Each structure stands twice: as structure tokens, then as C-alpha cells.
Amino acid sequence: MHTPGTLITSRPLDEYCGLFGLTRAALAALPGPVLDCPGGAAGLTAEARELGVTVIATDPAYAVPRPELTALAVAGRDRMAACLAVAPERHLPAGRLRPERYLRSWDRARRLFAADSAARPERYVAAALPGLPFADGSFALTLSAYLLFAYPELFPPERQLAGLLELVRVTAPDGEVRVHPLHDGAGRPCPHLPQLRSALGEHRVASEIVRFARPGDGRTRRVLVLRKAQRWGSGRRRGAS
């Protein structure tokens, strides 16, 4: 069931690309499926299908009745609208501070989610970290937005580590996990990220923090990228920051 206090978002595919430094072409070129964890009421699964990409979304909220999930998604949209009214620059690129246009993209994504999840329920799996019902190495790319670091009260360090290891487990040996953001809802960076990365290394998970340009204003997003260590040989971290 839905975890109280978490926001059910309705982000479209293009917003995912901006968050994780992806392009539609890069997604279309992937050799296997993508995992979106948590999927919320996003349009990613539906929109990626038009590119020939299979995306599986997983979220504990998928266990709740459809009307309740719809209400949660609308409430999430209203909370985002309130945030934009107070500090639009935190969420939108400078020079593109058009909250209503942004919110309309969420409305469209939510409608796509509703239609696609009704037509293809097998693409939307009710599950929560750190226990995902997928075989080892199932996904070429795993994306996790606004969860493990965004809610430190729900994910203390030991649960963050367990969640990250689970995301790596279900990702193919030559694939990768991308996690964003690396701060909480108030914008405070995770204070124990170096220790967490060291713990990942002890489990033979290589990590780096990659900075991707944010479309529109040149600012960057920090994304934690994880891979099984054998891809980097020694398993030591690189790109630490």
C-alpha cells in the first residue's frame, strides 16, 4: 500500500530524461527493459512504449484501489503546484519559469498513466524497496527518482543501503542504476553519502556521482550511478565528489 508522507508524482518522459541525463534516442538504444522505481503516476511506461522500449514501473501505491491512487496523484499535483507558487526556481530552469505549463505536463502524464495501467496492468507492479519481485539482472537500466534520499525519515542509512543494493541486484551486469536526487525534500544533501558509497563498494558495487546539465539553464543535476563492480575492474569508486 501507499507509504504515508510520500508524494505520488506524475512526471512525463521528457522530465525523466532531464532528471537522469537521458535522451529518447539513448532509451530506444537500450538492449533490454527499464525499471522505474518508484513509478508513481508517471507517464514514462506509456510514453516509452511508443519508442519501442519496455518499462516496468513498480510502486507500493499500485496495491491501492484505482480511485484512491488517482486521488493520491491529484494530491501530488496540488502539492507540486504549491511548491511552484513559493519557489519556482527550485523546480524549473531559469528563463522557463512557467508553472502552469509544467503542471499541464503532469496532468497529461497522469492521464497516460491511468489509461496505460488499465490496459497493461502487468507493466505496473505493486512492490516496495528493498524487496522487489524481479529476477537478478532483469533490467538494462534502473531509474529511481525522489525516494531513497528524498525521505530520510523513511529511509535511514541502513535502509538506503538495502534499497540501493536491491536496485543493483535486479539490474543486468552490464547495465546501470541511476538515482536522483541526492538530497531531501528541503534540499539538504545526504550527509553520509561517502560512507554509503564505501559500504556499496564492500558489496562490490561501483559508484560515481555524475553531473548532468539541466536543460534550459546550464545548471547541473547530481546523479548517483551504480554498476556491478566487475565493469570497472577493481571495484574502486571513480568520479567521487
Side-chain angles (χ1 to χ4, degrees), residues 164-223:
L164 292 170
L165 290 173
E166 181 70 348
L167 294 175
V168 172
R169 180 189 70 79
V170 301
T171 304
D174 58 348
E176 65 182 33
V177 177
R178 295 190 181 191
V179 182
H180 175 83
L182 308 183
H183 55 73
D184 65 14
R188 295 178 293 245
C190 176
H192 54 270
L193 188 55
Q195 294 86 345
L196 190 58
R197 293 179 65 192
S198 292
L200 287 165
E202 292 172 3
H203 287 85
R204 296 201 54 76
V205 173
S207 68
E208 64 175 333
I209 296 173
V210 180
R211 287 176 168 81
F212 295 107
R214 188 169 82 166
D217 62 4
R219 294 169 61 185
T220 59
R221 298 186 188 276
R222 298 169 71 242
V223 177

Side-chain angles (χ1 to χ4, degrees), residues 5 7 11 79-80 83 87 90-91 146-153 160 181-190:
L7 188 70
R11 304 180 194 278
R79 283 180 59 186
M80 177 55 72
C83 291
R90 284 191 56 188
H91 306 278
Y146 291 92
L147 182 66
L148 291 173
F149 297 103
Y151 299 98
E153 68 279 9
Q160 288 173 339
L182 308 183
H183 55 73
D184 65 14
R188 295 178 293 245
C190 176

Side-chain angles (χ1 to χ4, degrees), residues 76-89:
R77 190 264 194 202
D78 291 343
R79 283 180 59 186
M80 177 55 72
C83 291
L84 290 173
V86 173
E89 69 282 353

Side-chain angles (χ1 to χ4, degrees), residues 10-17 23-25 27-28 36 41-57 104-117 120 123-124:
S10 305
R11 304 180 194 278
L13 183 152
D14 286 338
E15 186 170 356
Y16 272 82
C17 288
T23 64
R24 289 174 176 244
L27 286 171
D36 181 15
L44 177 65
T45 299
E47 292 183 88
R49 184 169 50 83
E50 298 177 0
L51 302 176
V53 180
T54 297
V55 176
I56 302 298
R104 284 197 298 271
S105 77
W106 275 39
D107 292 336
R108 178 179 179 273
R110 188 176 66 252
R111 291 192 296 268
L112 288 171
F113 163 80
D116 196 61
S117 60
R120 300 169 183 81
R123 300 285 179 92
Y124 299 85

